Amino acid sequence: MGEKTKEQASMVRDLTSGSVTKQILIFAMPLFVANALQAIYNLVDMVVVGQVIGGTGMSAVSIGGDVLHLLTFLAMGFASAGQVIISQYVGARKHHLISKMIGTMFTFLFAISIIMSVSCYLLRYQILNILNTPSESYTYTMDYMVICIFGLIFIYGYNIVSAILRGMGDSRRPFVFIAIAAVINTLLDIFFVAFCHMGVAGAALATVIGQGASFVISIFYLYRRKEEFGFDFKRESFRISGEVLKPLLVLGIPMAIQSAAINISKIVLTAWINAEGVVYSALAGIYNKSALMMGIVSNSFTTAGSSMTGQSIGAEKYDRVPRILQVVLTIGLAITIVVSVMLYCFPDVVCSMFTSDRDVLAKASLVVMPVILNFFGCATRSGAFSLINGSGNSRLNLLVALIDGVIGRIGLAALLGFVLNWRSAGFWYGDAVAGFAPILIGTVFFLSGRWRKGAQ
């Protein structure tokens, strides 16, 4: 068991003592603001393109964005796993393993990002055809997707740096990095699309430039503070260590499968909805971006809860865990109620933010209740995943992935959309209802007490 240096001590934040509510809020608020900015960041492309180009542009951003999110499933899964493992190393005082995990994550995930980008580019036509991309938005979608996939390495890089910092208890720097990306993306979106008339390609280019700037700055910060992380950025530091790769794979693969299963289910639903025409494809964009906005915000509390749970379990302070979950759930539900009331009372105002296309707005009411239902699913998931991810239980993550991502979303959507003939509305309701599976599984896991055993 390694002792931490003075430099490392200045970076590591102990989340195993003190007021749980205070710790959650202090840790989560920078994440909350950062994720709110990221939600805006993801909405900007849709809003600017929707206002300037209309429904066909919204369809392109919606489909291209879904493909991009699918390609990030490995980054999300392994970065989340790395964060949990680092937090457990911190709680158990195993600081000598942190630098090995940093180097392993960089090399492993960068290699994956390159493979994913090249593969997606080679299969770009097949991907759009499988998704039933409407002919009216096909060219726009291709432009958006191709430009974004070449910025995939920046998304992977940002997730690595953020996982390292959050695992060590630092949530402020990731907020700064994503804030920079959000501001750059917003300004360039308006400039490229509205003033330079570059269309959907301009929106994609703005996104990639924003992501690139965020990643470069985050790497520069990590390099400037390398002594405090115990990572010297020399070539040999990037060697993959079998000692930490094994736990990263054991936990990361189920987490990646979970992320992939949810994203694949959304891709399947997107393909079904696209077959209904460009108007419904644009509506899917409103549903997905609204759901993503709340999902990203609730993820801030999931991240805080996971880090606190991981450190508490690593330090064998099990009595703190129930209180952590209670606080995460309470805050998540309170935010959800406020946002849902606003959407229910002013649906036209919210939907008109995305587009002025009359055909799309005429049917926008179809997505209001599914979006609200999805919001509540996001709030309850934050509590469940704080426990599941924080405990490092890989088997349970895999179970949630299969039930939530595949059986639940695709199964319920098919039942409501095809069997009951609700069509697009059924697809959205099925997706939203399936989002409650994690809280059911997480509750059983909590009551069983098996989370006290740590990583499985």
Side-chain angles (χ1 to χ4, degrees):
M1 197 180 297
E3 294 298 324
K4 60 185 176 181
T5 64
K6 291 181 179 180
E7 290 82 6
Q8 287 175 320
S10 68
M11 294 302 303
V12 175
R13 182 178 174 195
D14 184 6
L15 302 174
T16 63
S17 60
S19 166
V20 170
T21 301
K22 183 178 179 180
Q23 289 274 21
I24 285 282
L25 290 175
I26 291 175
F27 189 88
M29 285 313 295
L31 292 174
F32 181 88
V33 178
N35 288 330
L37 284 172
Q38 192 169 353
I40 296 171
Y41 178 97
N42 283 277
L43 284 171
V44 165
D45 286 354
M46 178 74 70
V47 172
V48 174
V49 168
Q51 295 292 343
V52 176
I53 300 175
T56 54
M58 289 180 65
S59 173
V61 173
S62 175
I63 299 170
D66 285 344
V67 173
L68 187 63
H69 292 144
L70 175 61
L71 296 178
T72 62
F73 76 95
L74 289 172
M76 300 299 292
F78 284 106
S80 296
Q83 174 190 316
V84 169
I85 295 170
I86 289 173
S87 71
Q88 291 186 349
Y89 287 161
V90 170
R93 303 277 196 269
K94 296 180 179 179
H95 300 282
H96 64 292
L97 295 177
I98 294 177
S99 61
K100 292 183 178 180
M101 178 60 74
I102 293 173
T104 298
M105 287 176 64
F106 270 119
T107 302
F108 181 64
L109 287 176
F110 273 151
I112 289 176
S113 70
I114 293 172
I115 293 171
M116 295 287 282
S117 296
V118 173
S119 299
C120 185
Y121 180 75
L122 294 176
L123 297 172
R124 61 193 184 282
Y125 292 105
Q126 291 88 336
I127 291 172
L128 293 192
N129 291 336
I130 289 173
L131 292 176
N132 294 321
T133 304
S135 57
E136 302 96 318
S137 61
Y138 194 96
T139 301
Y140 282 147
T141 306
M142 180 65 74
D143 291 343
Y144 190 88
M145 184 181 72
V146 168
I147 293 173
C148 284
I149 62 175
F150 285 109
L152 195 63
I153 191 171
F154 300 135
I155 298 177
Y156 273 64
Y158 168 77
N159 276 278
I160 295 169
V161 177
S162 294
I164 294 166
L165 293 172
R166 290 167 180 168
M168 296 179 74
D170 183 356
S171 61
R172 289 180 297 171
R173 274 75 178 192
F175 153 66
V176 174
F177 303 147
I178 197 62
I180 292 170
V183 171
I184 292 174
N185 181 63
T186 300
L187 295 176
L188 291 182
D189 251 328
I190 297 172
F191 180 70
F192 288 154
V193 178
F195 292 99
C196 295
H197 306 292
M198 294 174 63
V200 173
L205 187 60
T207 297
V208 170
I209 293 174
Q211 291 165 347
S214 176
F215 170 62
V216 169
I217 293 171
S218 69
I219 283 291
F220 181 72
Y221 170 78
L222 212 61
Y223 181 79
R224 287 289 300 272
R225 307 292 291 273
K226 58 185 179 182
E227 290 82 9
E228 298 170 54
F229 287 94
F231 187 76
D232 57 16
F233 278 88
K234 295 180 180 179
R235 185 171 62 181
E236 55 269 22
S237 301
F238 290 95
R239 291 175 182 171
I240 294 179
S241 169
E243 186 177 6
V244 299
L245 179 62
K246 182 179 179 180
L248 181 65
L249 291 175
V250 168
L251 182 57
I253 289 175
M255 283 187 165
I257 291 175
Q258 177 191 30
S259 178
I262 293 175
N263 281 309
I264 289 172
S265 70
K266 288 185 177 297
I267 288 290
V268 171
L269 267 58
T270 295
W272 291 347
I273 293 169
N274 288 343
E276 302 284 313
V278 71
V279 170
Y280 289 93
S281 178
L283 286 174
I286 295 177
Y287 173 83
N288 291 336
K289 293 299 183 182
S290 298
L292 178 65
M293 179 176 64
M294 182 55 68
I296 289 175
V297 171
S298 70
N299 183 59
S300 62
F301 293 98
T302 300
T303 303
S306 296
S307 292
M308 289 188 68
T309 299
Q311 285 196 21
S312 297
I313 292 176
E316 298 185 357
K317 294 186 176 182
Y318 304 121
D319 58 320
R320 284 178 63 84
V321 175
R323 178 59 178 165
I324 292 169
L325 305 183
Q326 179 187 14
V327 172
V328 169
L329 278 170
T330 300
I331 295 174
L333 287 172
I335 294 171
T336 296
I337 290 171
V338 172
V339 175
S340 296
V341 168
M342 292 175 62
L343 177 58
Y344 183 80
C345 294
F346 308 103
D348 293 339
V349 175
V350 175
C351 292
S352 62
M353 290 171 55
F354 292 92
T355 183
S356 57
D357 191 309
R358 293 183 179 179
D359 293 333
V360 175
L361 291 176
K363 295 183 178 295
S365 60
L366 291 174
V367 301
V368 172
M369 290 310 299
V371 166
I372 291 176
L373 195 61
N374 194 296
F375 285 173
F376 279 92
C378 285
T380 59
R381 284 201 299 274
S382 63
F385 284 129
S386 290
L387 178 63
I388 296 172
N389 294 346
S391 69
N393 192 302
S394 57
R395 296 175 184 174
L396 194 57
N397 263 290
L398 183 58
L399 178 63
V400 173
L402 295 175
I403 294 179
D404 179 19
V406 180
I407 299 173
R409 293 179 191 275
I410 295 178
L412 283 173
L415 173 64
L416 298 176
F418 294 124
V419 178
L420 298 184
N421 201 34
W422 288 12
R423 308 308 298 176
S424 294
F427 303 146
W428 291 317
Y429 273 110
D431 177 79
V433 172
F436 289 93
I439 188 61
L440 299 178
I441 297 172
T443 299
V444 173
F445 180 51
F446 174 77
L447 294 175
S448 74
R450 295 191 63 188
W451 50 271
R452 293 181 177 86
K453 299 179 181 180
Q456 301 292 312

